[in-house]
Amino acid sequence: MTRSITIQAETVEKAIEEALFILQLTLDEVHVHVKRPARTSIFGLRKVLAEVTVSRLEQTKETIEKQVQETPAGVRIHNGQLEARFGTQSYPIIVPSAGVELRVNSEESRQRTIILPSDIIECTAIHEDIAAQYLVNLSKDLMTAAAKVTPGKRITRRLLDSSWKRVLDIQATEDIEVYNQLTTEDILEELDGLGIVAGIKMSGIIQAVNTLEMAEIVIAEGMAPIASQDARLDIHLKSKKEHAEDHERVDFREHNFIPTVKAGQLIATYIPAVQGKNGLNLLGKEYKVKPPKEVIVRPGPSVDSVLHKLYAKIDGRPVIEWRGKVVKVSVNREYRHAADVNLESGNIHFEGDVWIGGSVHPSMFIAASGEITVMKNCTKASIRGTKSVYIKGSIFSSTVTVGIQEKIITMMVNDLEEILKYLRNIELALRQIFALRGEVPEEVPPFTLKQAIQLLLEQKYSEFTEKNKHFIQLVKNHTRRLDKEWLALADWLYQLFIDPQREEQTTILSLRTLIQEADELLQLYSEEISPESVLQASFALNSILYSNGNIQIRSKGVYNCSITALHDITIKGVCRGGEVIAGRYIELDETGSAAGVKTHIQTSEKGVIRIARAHPGTVLQIGSHSHEFFQTRQQVTARLNEHGALEITQL
């Protein structure tokens, strides 16, 4: 029995699809009769649905033979044109792909479509023209601008020929032509819109407008700052003792390696500072670099300076001492005196290191610019070392100082600060005086300027004369301990303000140069030195000890001594009577006595005091805060807390 169904739908195709779905048949198994195509009424007021009758084909022998003889429905692309043929009972299907435009009865179709004999089919390949694109990216630091360029494409397509097919997936071939229509004006306008005014790279822009590949090209680049290079001093000395061979005997007591140099040996090389270059970003903002830090090298008399290289003139121990940006390089000889220092040997003054094999007798004096080592005792004597002093025995009723010249320099720096203020005021007053008189200060004769200075000193700056004389005398008293620039400054001050016979030196330019020299000297020496100086002994009694570094009493303690160190003090044994003053840290085994002997222990506000056993009479002072013990206490630690109050912990 023949199964058939009549369906009405908006289009013939939809009616056929719905009928096939209901009958559960394929298009090859049915006969389609279009009773009425879809249309609108005569006046276009309503839409008339398409009506299709779909009937199942009877597979009789006659039908099968007829189907074999019948030309099958199909579709193909031939010479770029769509061709279709229809069977009596079947219709071809076409599927458009990307790049293909399919229109059925003037309506675009992008899906699988059944073609009917009455349909008007238009199938064409789509051509495309995609313009080049670019995007300018700025780096976060605004130092680089890069254009990310995507070239344009002209895509020419043509339909791909095919054989006859019941269902045809229409394909198109592509011919792609890459091009770049960008111009330098386009990119320059974009940079201008971004506010970029510096570092434009025309070579990068030309590359960007000519590239035929996707690329990211730098089209503007700022000038990166070049950091300054600080001056430095490269030291060419071995930092540790060379290892002994396996067969050599090693004395492990000799663990402190002291470098030595031979005459003509290279000690150090001065590397000058290099000024950096300021940077400029793309928006024209300047990035300034810090000026380089300078190093001022002061070779000692035992050092030669040749083309920034420092060579030893003599055999000895190299000494490199820093104060801020000033570095002094010298070579110390060693003077060895195997016996006692007494009336027979006389006092010892030596530029270098001194080694004494015996003791130092009463009323004797030792001074050295390097280290002093005394193998035995020091009794009622004076020892003054510049670097360090090591006394293997004891100190009795003596004065031992290390780096006392630093204390002197501190005094001179304080005086020079006041003198410099007066000098600036005097120079300003002179300019005002001569301006009122209608004279140019630089053209005033020395005699007239000398009179004007004397008048100012008498009427307005009388205090300056006394301070100036005090400073000059202080320099003269310590000539042997000071560098030559201090001596030259003192002489200049004397000639300009005290010596009545040196009028030719009295000019306003000379005064200004003096102010500049004094200011530079003040800057050099106002920076705190970081010494490694040590005063070391086994025991001290009724003595005065001073060090600009540390003081160490190794075993037997101290009695009734005045001990001062700018940094740390460590005393093993008993500390009874006298005073102990340090800038940073004090560590003591035992202080005071059962009888309550006053023992004063003092440090700065940032300092710390530690005492293993504090007896009555021990007075601790940190900054302006003090505390006295009236009972014995163990393991005492004293410091100022975060609120500035004295905090003492003890067992």
Side-chain angles (χ1 to χ4, degrees):
M1 180 178 178
T2 301
R3 296 173 56 194
S4 64
I5 188 171
T6 299
I7 298 295
Q8 291 184 352
E10 292 181 354
T11 64
V12 172
E13 292 82 357
K14 288 184 178 181
I16 294 173
E17 287 181 5
E18 187 176 347
L20 292 176
F21 176 77
I22 295 172
L23 295 174
Q24 291 295 302
L25 296 173
T26 66
L27 195 61
D28 296 335
E29 297 174 321
V30 299
H31 171 71
V32 178
H33 175 62
V34 180
K35 291 185 175 181
R36 181 178 66 235
R39 67 178 188 275
T40 56
S41 62
I42 296 175
F43 299 103
L45 297 177
R46 65 184 181 87
K47 189 173 182 180
V48 178
L49 298 178
E51 184 175 345
V52 177
T53 298
V54 178
S55 304
R56 180 176 181 177
L57 296 174
E58 292 295 335
Q59 296 295 325
T60 62
K61 182 177 180 180
E62 182 180 355
T63 303
I64 294 173
E65 289 177 354
K66 184 177 181 181
Q67 288 179 350
V68 172
Q69 294 174 0
E70 185 181 64
T71 301
V75 64
R76 71 174 181 179
I77 302 296
H78 182 66
N79 294 330
Q81 299 295 322
L82 178 68
E83 297 179 353
R85 62 188 184 190
F86 304 91
T88 56
Q89 303 295 329
S90 61
Y91 301 95
I93 299 174
I94 55 177
V95 182
S97 62
V100 175
E101 182 181 25
L102 177 64
R103 289 186 173 274
V104 180
N105 299 322
S106 300
E107 294 184 5
E108 184 178 1
S109 175
R110 297 182 180 179
Q111 300 177 348
R112 186 184 182 97
T113 303
I114 299 172
I115 300 177
L116 301 177
S118 59
D119 290 335
I120 299 173
I121 307 298
E122 298 175 80
C123 186
T124 57
I126 301 172
H127 304 305
E128 290 185 74
D129 195 345
I130 303 173
Q133 303 291 327
Y134 74 97
L135 177 66
V136 177
N137 294 320
L138 296 180
S139 60
K140 290 183 179 180
D141 58 3
L142 300 177
M143 294 297 289
T144 304
K148 190 172 184 180
V149 181
T150 304
K153 293 189 293 184
R154 289 191 181 93
I155 305 175
T156 302
R157 296 186 178 92
R158 62 181 182 84
L159 299 179
L160 183 64
D161 287 355
S162 66
S163 59
W164 289 102
K165 292 184 178 180
R166 173 76 172 75
V167 179
L168 177 62
D169 188 358
I170 304 173
Q171 301 290 330
T173 60
E174 293 183 348
D175 291 324
I176 300 176
E177 178 189 357
V178 179
Y179 73 101
N180 189 343
Q181 89 286 355
L182 298 178
T183 65
T184 56
E185 288 75 13
D186 294 335
I187 295 182
L188 288 173
E189 287 180 7
E190 180 71 15
L191 293 178
D192 184 64
L194 294 172
I196 296 175
V197 297
I200 295 175
K201 299 180 66 174
M202 287 305 301
S203 59
I205 294 176
I206 292 172
Q207 184 182 354
V209 300
N210 290 327
T211 184
L212 296 179
E213 295 180 354
M214 183 180 293
E216 190 166 6
I217 302 165
V218 176
I219 57 175
E221 191 170 23
M223 185 172 63
I226 301 175
S228 299
Q229 296 181 18
D230 296 338
R232 68 179 192 274
L233 191 69
D234 288 348
I235 310 300
H236 303 298
L237 302 174
K238 295 178 181 177
S239 59
K240 60 182 180 179
K241 195 172 183 178
E242 294 182 355
H243 295 292
E245 300 293 337
D246 292 340
H247 62 275
E248 293 181 353
R249 296 183 63 184
V250 178
D251 185 354
F252 289 100
R253 294 172 296 178
E254 299 295 332
H255 59 277
N256 290 325
F257 173 64
I258 301 176
T260 58
V261 293
K262 297 291 185 182
Q265 182 176 338
L266 178 63
I267 300 174
T269 300
Y270 167 68
I271 309 298
V274 178
Q275 175 63 47
K277 292 184 178 180
N278 294 338
L280 190 70
N281 72 8
L282 298 177
L283 302 183
K285 180 182 177 182
E286 187 176 24
Y287 293 100
K288 293 185 177 181
V289 298
K290 294 181 179 179
K293 294 180 181 178
E294 189 54 81
V295 171
I296 300 174
V297 180
R298 298 288 174 82
S302 56
V303 174
D304 262 338
S305 178
V306 181
L307 298 175
H308 298 317
K309 293 184 180 294
L310 304 176
Y311 297 91
K313 287 184 179 180
I314 60 174
D315 297 349
R317 182 174 64 87
V319 177
I320 299 174
E321 183 180 2
W322 287 88
R323 174 190 283 274
K325 61 183 178 181
V326 179
V327 56
K328 297 179 181 179
V329 182
S330 58
V331 177
N332 285 352
R333 294 181 185 271
E334 183 181 59
Y335 173 78
R336 298 182 69 84
H337 180 75
D340 293 346
V341 177
N342 50 29
L343 293 175
E344 183 179 352
S345 67
N347 293 333
I348 295 175
H349 298 268
F350 188 71
E351 292 296 323
D353 298 338
V354 171
W355 182 87
I356 305 298
S359 296
V360 183
H361 286 207
S363 302
M364 303 310 296
F365 178 74
I366 300 175
S369 63
E371 292 184 354
I372 298 175
T373 302
V374 178
M375 299 305 295
K376 294 184 180 179
N377 300 324
C378 176
T379 305
K380 295 183 179 180
S382 295
I383 296 177
R384 187 178 70 226
T386 300
K387 306 304 178 187
S388 294
V389 174
Y390 299 95
I391 298 176
K392 304 299 182 181
S394 300
I395 303 173
F396 300 102
S397 303
S398 298
T399 298
V400 182
T401 64
V402 177
I404 193 69
Q405 68 274 17
E406 296 301 329
K407 189 173 183 179
I408 297 168
I409 288 175
T410 301
M411 294 167 56
M412 292 194 301
V413 165
N414 293 335
D415 285 354
L416 186 57
E417 285 180 345
E418 293 189 41
I419 289 173
L420 187 57
K421 292 178 184 177
Y422 278 111
L423 291 176
R424 286 175 173 150
N425 289 334
I426 291 171
E427 193 268 340
L428 177 61
L430 289 172
R431 284 194 285 113
Q432 291 174 346
I433 289 172
F434 292 116
L436 291 174
R437 294 169 54 176
E439 297 179 277
V440 179
E442 289 80 3
E443 298 176 357
V444 174
F447 174 76
T448 305
L449 186 63
K450 190 85 169 181
Q451 286 184 327
I453 290 175
Q454 291 301 324
L455 187 63
L456 282 173
L457 295 182
E458 291 173 4
Q459 297 184 358
K460 191 173 182 180
Y461 300 114
S462 57
E463 301 91 347
F464 169 74
T465 301
E466 292 303 318
K467 290 186 181 296
N468 190 32
K469 289 180 179 179
H470 178 270
F471 176 78
I472 294 170
Q473 189 61 48
L474 185 62
V475 172
K476 288 182 177 180
N477 291 343
H478 302 283
T479 299
R480 297 183 59 181
R481 305 177 190 174
L482 298 175
D483 293 324
K484 58 184 179 181
E485 56 260 36
W486 289 103
L487 308 181
L489 183 66
D491 187 54
W492 204 338
L493 287 168
Y494 178 79
Q495 292 179 18
L496 199 58
F497 295 101
I498 297 177
D499 188 354
Q501 305 299 324
R502 303 295 293 272
E503 292 179 359
E504 70 277 4
Q505 302 293 334
T506 309
T507 66
I508 197 70
L509 293 178
S510 179
L511 177 58
R512 289 171 182 169
T513 306
L514 173 62
I515 292 173
Q516 182 179 353
E517 293 289 335
D519 185 54
E520 291 179 358
L521 191 62
L522 192 61
Q523 290 182 23
L524 286 179
Y525 284 89
S526 60
E527 297 188 47
E528 181 183 356
I529 192 171
S530 300
E532 298 179 359
S533 304
V534 176
L535 194 166
Q536 191 178 93
S538 295
F539 172 75
L541 172 67
N542 296 330
S543 296
I544 298 173
L545 309 181
Y546 173 86
S547 172
N548 70 326
N550 304 326
I551 293 179
Q552 301 169 355
I553 304 299
R554 300 190 304 274
S555 58
K556 301 176 184 178
V558 296
Y559 288 80
N560 297 321
C561 291
S562 175
I563 302 175
T564 304
L566 296 186
H567 285 184
D568 305 334
I569 294 177
T570 303
I571 298 177
K572 298 294 184 183
V574 175
C575 177
R576 187 161 294 156
E579 61 180 7
V580 176
I581 303 172
R584 300 188 307 196
Y585 178 77
I586 299 175
E587 184 173 357
L588 309 171
D589 280 355
E590 186 175 349
T591 60
S593 69
V597 175
K598 291 288 184 180
T599 306
H600 193 84
I601 315 298
Q602 178 180 340
T603 185
S604 65
E605 293 181 351
K606 296 182 179 180
V608 177
I609 299 174
R610 287 192 170 91
I611 305 174
R613 179 180 297 172
H615 292 293
T618 300
V619 179
L620 304 183
Q621 181 175 341
I622 298 182
S624 60
H625 301 270
S626 62
H627 176 80
E628 182 175 352
F629 290 97
F630 297 98
Q631 294 180 341
T632 300
R633 291 289 182 262
Q634 308 286 342
Q635 303 300 328
V636 173
T637 299
R639 58 165 60 88
L640 297 185
N641 61 23
E642 59 184 2
H643 303 295
L646 181 61
E647 181 178 86
I648 299 176
T649 58
Q650 53 191 3
L651 294 179

